[in-house]
Amino acid sequence: MERPLADRLRPESMEDIIGQKHILGKGKILNRIIESKFIPNMIFYGPPGVGKTTVANIIAEMTHKRFHRLNATTDSTKDIKEILSELNTFMGYEGILLYIDEIHHFPKRTQQILLEYMENGQITLIGSTTENPYFYVFKAILSRATVIEFKPLSNEEIIEGLLKVCHKLKKEENGLFVDFEKEALEIISNSSEGDLRKALNSLELIIKTTPSNKDKIIITGDLAKEFAQKNFSYDRDGDKHYDILSAFQKSIRGSDAEASILYLAMLIKAGDLTSIIRRLLVIASEDIGLAYPQAISIVKACTDSALQLGFPEAQIPLAQAVLLLATAPKSNSAVKAIGEALMDIDKTNIGEIPLHLKDGHYKGAEKLGRMQGYKYPHDYPHNYINQQYMPDNIKDKIYYNYGENKFEQSIKNYWKNIKK
């Protein structure tokens, strides 16, 4: 059976690897590790198709260790134990280099088996994962390993990878000449979402299903559109979910309407209505707050409409809510006020509630001094009378500081005039 193109023409040296200059460039962390030939335990973290397995294979070739490769989605604790049982039988090897693909799929107990052998140096572990290792990899392993993050490839790097593979195909015995229209390269690279393997799979599918003319294939834009279909990847429990939501809120907070709409579109593509609504309601109070108090009412109406409509029509009131929040004046005075108060409750002895504020609606309350001397504000001009409401221990504490926006400043001036 013929191996897939992406595997068959996998780079064999670090110089052939596309992208990852931030770790493989001269003087960068992985480049320095490889040049030193001291290979520590490492966790390769990043999306699929960006070179994690390729780099591990090349490192294995450079060491004097016995190389074993496991995949946590298909292998088990038994497979690890079989490898460990052979430790003393390897003549001429300086221990084991164990590469575990998708290590986050191994349960905690399976990961723990490796600890002793990592500690004494009998095993050098390179684990790869598409999930954030700080959430999914056992902490004791993380403390013994260096986490190295791989990035998605740029469109330019994807195109470079496609052209390199086509050059290799041409050099093979009975080689095939593959040429591209410029539009075709752009379409394939755009649809790959930074995943070179995905781009090469599209290339292979086109080559296998397109008749050649004298061992020559020209990949047109139309061919690329037909085969290189873009699928928006999204995992509601994974990093991408939280990264998009984080960017979504930060863009609205930063009053960038264009970025806010883009991240909303990503969430809509994922069909994640619940997360969108929850985040919009939080933003209305957390980031807009008292600068535009009506915002939360409008957002609630928009999100209720979205729930009743469902997708695809829900995208319209959601876009309305996002643009309203992104372009609204901002204030976090409410967040800061409640945060300070909660902190005092946790860390400060706030003391007793003043007696005149305590409940006095029961027999015997008067004997206990409850509600004595309380002044009813509505009996006074402007419905205000100066009296102590804070406990004695923190009676001068200020939690709420008026925001520098039109609404809050108008309220500040109103009370300044009343209270003087």
Side-chain angles (χ1 to χ4, degrees):
M1 185 174 67
E2 187 179 355
R3 290 156 58 202
L5 185 67
D7 187 51
R8 182 160 55 89
L9 299 180
R10 190 186 293 275
E12 296 178 351
S13 69
M14 290 298 175
E15 292 74 25
D16 290 333
I17 291 175
I18 304 295
Q20 310 310 329
K21 301 302 182 190
H22 66 291
I23 53 175
L24 289 172
K26 190 67 177 174
K28 301 301 182 181
I29 181 169
L30 201 48
N31 176 271
R32 291 166 62 187
I33 286 172
I34 291 164
E35 286 190 351
S36 73
K37 296 186 179 178
F38 172 74
I39 309 301
N41 299 302
M42 293 182 283
I43 301 294
F44 289 172
Y45 162 49
V50 296
K52 300 188 299 295
T53 302
T54 299
V55 171
N57 285 339
I58 294 171
I59 289 174
E61 291 291 325
M62 299 167 52
T63 70
H64 296 290
K65 298 179 185 290
R66 179 69 172 260
F67 182 61
H68 281 273
R69 179 179 173 181
L70 296 177
N71 190 306
T73 58
T74 54
D75 297 310
S76 64
T77 304
K78 180 183 175 184
D79 298 292
I80 292 180
K81 288 182 176 178
E82 284 179 0
I83 292 170
L84 297 178
S85 69
E86 299 174 3
L87 268 172
N88 297 322
T89 66
F90 298 147
M91 299 297 292
Y93 290 101
E94 298 174 6
I96 289 176
L97 178 63
L98 178 60
Y99 177 66
I100 302 179
D101 203 6
E102 305 296 345
I103 192 172
H104 59 279
H105 284 295
F106 271 150
K108 181 177 177 180
R109 185 172 180 181
T110 305
Q111 294 182 38
Q112 283 178 309
I113 293 171
L114 301 168
L115 292 176
E116 178 187 344
Y117 300 94
M118 291 170 65
E119 196 74 55
N120 62 28
Q122 288 180 288
I123 278 183
T124 300
L125 173 72
I126 299 180
S128 80
T129 174
T130 55
E131 303 293 342
N132 193 324
Y134 295 101
F135 297 149
Y136 292 94
V137 176
F138 182 39
K139 284 183 172 55
I141 285 184
L142 282 181
S143 71
R144 293 164 174 81
T146 300
V147 176
I148 296 180
E149 184 175 5
F150 286 64
K151 303 286 188 182
L153 303 186
S154 68
N155 282 4
E156 291 75 17
E157 288 166 342
I158 295 289
I159 290 172
E160 181 187 348
L162 289 170
L163 293 175
K164 274 192 173 184
V165 166
C166 289
H167 183 65
K168 287 183 179 180
L169 283 172
K170 186 180 176 183
K171 290 176 69 176
E172 285 185 342
E173 187 179 350
N174 301 318
L176 180 69
F177 181 82
V178 181
D179 197 11
F180 292 88
E181 290 181 357
K182 184 181 178 183
E183 183 191 12
L185 285 171
E186 292 171 352
I187 290 168
I188 294 175
S189 61
N190 269 324
S191 68
S192 68
E193 296 183 308
D195 181 340
L196 182 56
R197 187 189 301 116
K198 184 177 179 182
L200 292 175
N201 287 342
S202 296
L203 172 64
E204 183 174 29
L205 186 57
I206 294 170
I207 290 172
K208 293 288 188 185
T209 57
T210 304
S212 62
N213 181 14
K214 295 180 180 180
D215 295 325
K216 180 177 180 180
I217 289 177
I218 298 177
I219 300 178
T220 64
D222 288 338
L223 267 177
K225 285 176 187 175
E226 186 177 355
F227 286 93
Q229 297 175 354
K230 186 171 183 180
N231 298 311
F232 181 70
S233 59
Y234 185 82
D235 180 359
R236 294 195 187 196
D237 296 318
D239 270 4
K240 193 163 186 178
H241 165 80
Y242 295 104
D243 287 344
I244 294 173
L245 284 174
S246 177
F248 181 52
Q249 179 160 3
K250 289 181 173 72
S251 298
I252 293 176
R253 180 184 296 148
S255 303
D256 189 322
E258 281 66 41
S260 303
I261 280 289
L262 173 66
Y263 295 121
L264 172 66
M266 290 184 180
L267 294 165
I268 288 171
K269 275 287 185 184
D272 197 354
L273 184 57
T274 301
S275 294
I276 297 170
I277 289 173
R278 184 177 181 276
R279 192 57 62 114
L280 287 174
L281 290 170
V282 168
I283 293 168
S285 291
E286 182 180 349
D287 296 305
I288 283 75
L290 291 169
Y292 184 23
Q294 300 92 330
I296 192 163
S297 300
I298 299 170
V299 169
K300 181 64 168 66
C302 287
T303 54
D304 284 350
S305 297
L307 280 171
Q308 284 189 300
L309 291 168
F311 286 129
E313 288 87 352
Q315 67 189 23
I316 301 169
L318 292 176
Q320 178 182 343
V322 166
L323 291 173
L324 173 83
L325 296 176
T327 56
K330 306 296 188 293
S331 172
N332 68 341
S333 57
V335 176
K336 292 172 74 174
I338 190 62
E340 288 280 334
L342 288 168
M343 191 180 298
D344 272 357
I345 289 172
D346 287 338
K347 297 183 177 180
T348 304
N349 175 16
I350 63 173
E352 285 283 310
I353 295 172
L355 278 174
H356 62 278
L357 298 183
K358 289 187 176 184
D359 181 25
H361 296 91
Y362 57 91
K363 189 175 181 179
E366 187 175 344
K367 291 181 180 179
L368 295 174
R370 302 295 195 266
M371 219 167 82
Q372 303 303 304
Y374 171 66
K375 299 172 184 176
Y376 187 57
H378 295 295
D379 289 340
Y380 296 87
H382 307 294
N383 303 301
Y384 173 77
I385 182 65
N386 185 31
Q387 62 184 326
Q388 183 178 332
Y389 292 95
M390 292 285 273
D392 283 338
N393 290 3
I394 55 169
K395 65 180 181 179
D396 296 321
K397 184 68 183 270
I398 302 295
Y399 292 119
Y400 175 53
N401 291 291
Y402 292 91
E404 298 294 329
N405 57 79
K406 186 176 180 180
F407 180 82
E408 286 184 88
Q409 287 299 306
S410 68
I411 298 300
K412 178 182 179 180
N413 291 330
Y414 171 81
W415 283 113
K416 184 179 179 181
N417 290 329
I418 297 295
K419 291 182 178 181
K420 72 179 181 182

